[in-house]
């Protein structure tokens, strides 16, 4: 019985370490311009079960090359999270809540295409429980 407890504890610690590394590793943005830096940390939000809302504080950091009017937006909805004027290193703390992977973009007022894009990926520890094929249960 001792061997089971030790190996289970080891596997559990290994699993949690792997999740922490995956969660805390920042991801670089897809960018059409090499002078734009855009990251989200962490880039992964882990919920316990598939379909549950995932809650995560995400730190966005970016640097824009020239002065101008820029905004950080949710790509699909176009909802503006923050806007600024100028060229500098900026950061924005965002309380992410979602059950699906979400893309965020840096945009300018004068261009339709995003300057850079990054995703916050939603993953699960457990998939949704399987439903019984029949409605009958035997006890």
């Amino acid at each position: 019985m001792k061997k089971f407890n030790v190996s289970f504890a080891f596997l559990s610690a290994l699993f949690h370490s792997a999740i922490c590394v995956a969660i805390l590793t920042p991801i670089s943005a897809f960018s059409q311009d090499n002078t734009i830096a855009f990251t989200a940390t962490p880039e992964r939000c882990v919920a316990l079960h598939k379909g549950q809302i995932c809650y995560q504080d995400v730190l966005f950091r970016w640097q824009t090359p020239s002065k101008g009017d820029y905004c950080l937006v949710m790509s699909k909805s176009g909802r503006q999270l923050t806007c600024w004027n100028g060229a500098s290193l900026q950061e924005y703390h965002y309380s992410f809540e979602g059950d699906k992977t979400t893309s965020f973009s840096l945009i300018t007022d004068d261009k339709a295409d995003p300057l850079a894009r990054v995703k916050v990926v939603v993953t699960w520890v457990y998939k949704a429980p399987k439903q019984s094929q029949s409605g009958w249960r035997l006890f």
Side-chain angles (χ1 to χ4, degrees), residues 1-132:
M1 195 67 170
K2 275 255 193 234
K3 284 185 179 181
F4 176 75
N5 288 339
V6 170
S7 54
F8 179 75
F10 173 75
L11 289 175
S12 178
L14 183 64
F15 174 75
H16 291 295
S17 297
I19 290 217
C20 287
V21 168
I23 290 173
L24 298 176
T25 304
I27 187 166
S28 294
F30 158 76
S31 174
Q32 296 175 351
D33 184 351
N34 291 337
T35 59
I36 296 174
F38 183 36
T39 60
T41 308
E43 58 95 16
R44 189 172 309 271
C45 187
V46 181
L48 189 58
H49 295 284
K50 184 175 182 178
Q52 284 185 332
I53 301 292
C54 188
Y55 300 94
Q56 180 73 49
D57 289 331
V58 178
L59 175 64
F60 292 103
R61 287 187 178 186
W62 61 86
Q63 184 165 2
T64 51
S66 60
K67 289 198 176 237
D69 294 323
Y70 299 97
C71 289
L72 170 63
V73 298
M74 295 180 88
S75 298
K76 191 171 184 176
S77 66
R79 186 177 128 213
Q80 293 181 351
L81 302 179
T82 186
C83 294
W84 69 98
N85 182 303
S88 64
L89 180 63
Q90 301 272 339
E91 62 182 38
Y92 180 74
H93 294 270
Y94 177 66
S95 294
F96 178 81
E97 295 179 19
D99 61 348
K100 296 178 186 166
T101 297
T102 306
S103 295
F104 297 87
S105 301
L106 288 177
I107 62 168
T108 61
D109 287 339
D110 59 348
K111 290 186 181 177
D113 293 332
L115 298 171
R117 189 175 303 135
V118 71
K119 290 182 182 179
V120 174
V121 179
V122 175
T123 59
W124 312 277
V125 175
Y126 302 108
K127 291 186 178 182
K130 291 184 179 180
Q131 296 294 330
S132 173

